[in-house]
Amino acid sequence: NAGVTQTPKFRVLKTGQSMTLLCAQDMNHEYMYWYRQDPGMGLRLIHYSVGEGTTAKGEVPDGYNVSRLKKQNFLLGLESAAPSQTSVYFCASRYYPEGAGELFFGEGSRLTVL
Amino acid sequence: KQEVTQIPAALSVPEGENLVLNCSFTDSAIYNLQWFRQDPGKGLTSLLLIQSSQREQTSGRLNASLDKSSGRSTLYIAASQPGDSATYLCATRGAGGTSYGKLTFGQGTILTVHP
């Protein structure tokens, strides 16, 4: 089982460039999340989705957009990258809508904005 | 707003020692609490998930306890090994109607087990 797969794993951007991170899960999970992890800040939720065709804002959504056109994929977009978006991005997914439900994480995507 | 704190921030122990990592949270209205392990440059691996109605969960040498009323959880690692060296994160899942399973993470405890 592949679990949660993120692409690309590394990327360097110049300020103002755009890019999309792809998260794919093969576990038929309803819920998907994008987090960013920064030193001293821990993991913070950017956006999440509770099912195909739905998205919602997390704690730090500014500067990012997301789409969930297919249940298995959750895309995170940066329209105009800024140095403050240099971070490690993690995608996660979960099956159960309420109550029990482990969160499964991808390996991370390290993004550097120059 | 939920706040999760982990103490200590870093811990270094000799191999074979039993150790306890602490996690505290400010809002006791949680569905569950999850402990993760993160190796350098890697993603998060789930270790244990404790539902709000449970007091503890065990997996091998790991035992996690939950005291919702006091807002505390502990992760006990028995007979530590160098391979246990990693960052350990705890995260709570809020029970609020609009939480949609969002987790609030602590900042982690960096554990080093030396031979």
Side-chain angles (χ1 to χ4, degrees):
Chain A
N1 285 337
V4 180
T5 304
Q6 293 181 228
T7 53
K9 289 185 169 42
F10 301 94
R11 184 75 187 269
V12 178
L13 289 177
K14 294 181 180 179
T15 296
Q17 287 185 318
S18 64
M19 75 158 296
T20 300
L21 297 177
L22 169 64
C23 176
Q25 51 93 6
D26 62 1
M27 297 174 281
N28 200 34
H29 285 175
E30 291 291 338
Y31 284 60
M32 297 187 74
Y33 309 83
W34 275 108
Y35 286 88
R36 61 178 287 174
Q37 186 177 36
D38 303 287
M41 303 292 288
L43 279 117
R44 294 177 292 169
L45 182 66
I46 306 171
H47 285 281
Y48 62 98
S49 168
V50 302
E52 181 178 315
T54 73
T55 63
K57 294 179 180 180
E59 299 173 74
V60 288
D62 294 342
Y64 305 95
N65 56 74
V66 288
S67 64
R68 183 101 181 264
L69 298 179
K70 293 182 179 181
K71 186 178 183 179
Q72 63 267 36
N73 295 337
F74 194 28
L75 278 65
L76 178 70
L78 286 71
E79 290 183 345
S80 180
S84 61
Q85 294 177 304
T86 294
S87 186
V88 181
Y89 292 86
F90 288 99
C91 176
S93 71
R94 187 170 62 84
Y95 177 64
Y96 298 104
E98 296 299 339
E102 249 180 297
L103 214 61
F104 293 89
F105 278 81
E107 291 276 298
S109 297
R110 185 175 296 274
L111 175 65
T112 301
V113 183
L114 303 175
Chain B
K1 180 185 173 184
Q2 179 76 284
E3 292 181 5
V4 179
T5 304
Q6 291 187 245
I7 295 173
L11 183 63
S12 180
V13 300
E15 181 176 6
E17 199 162 288
N18 302 325
L19 57 99
V20 174
L21 307 181
N22 296 294
C23 172
S24 61
F25 47 94
T26 56
D27 186 352
S28 62
I30 63 171
Y31 264 125
N32 55 46
L33 184 144
Q34 200 166 349
W35 282 93
F36 294 90
R37 168 187 174 135
Q38 185 175 28
D39 294 291
K42 298 292 187 181
L44 281 70
T45 301
S46 179
L47 296 174
L48 290 164
L49 173 69
I50 312 177
Q51 301 302 332
S52 61
S53 58
Q54 297 175 323
R55 298 283 296 183
E56 65 179 329
Q57 281 285 342
T58 298
S59 176
R61 295 182 293 108
L62 305 179
N63 176 276
S65 68
L66 175 64
D67 184 343
K68 250 182 50 170
S69 60
S70 67
R72 292 180 183 177
S73 176
T74 61
L75 178 67
Y76 175 82
I77 302 177
S80 57
Q81 303 170 358
D84 294 330
S85 299
T87 298
Y88 290 80
L89 297 141
C90 70
T92 62
R93 195 195 143 201
T98 59
S99 69
Y100 290 112
K102 293 177 287 185
L103 297 189
T104 302
F105 284 85
Q107 299 228 4
T109 294
I110 302 171
L111 173 66
T112 304
V113 181
H114 48 89

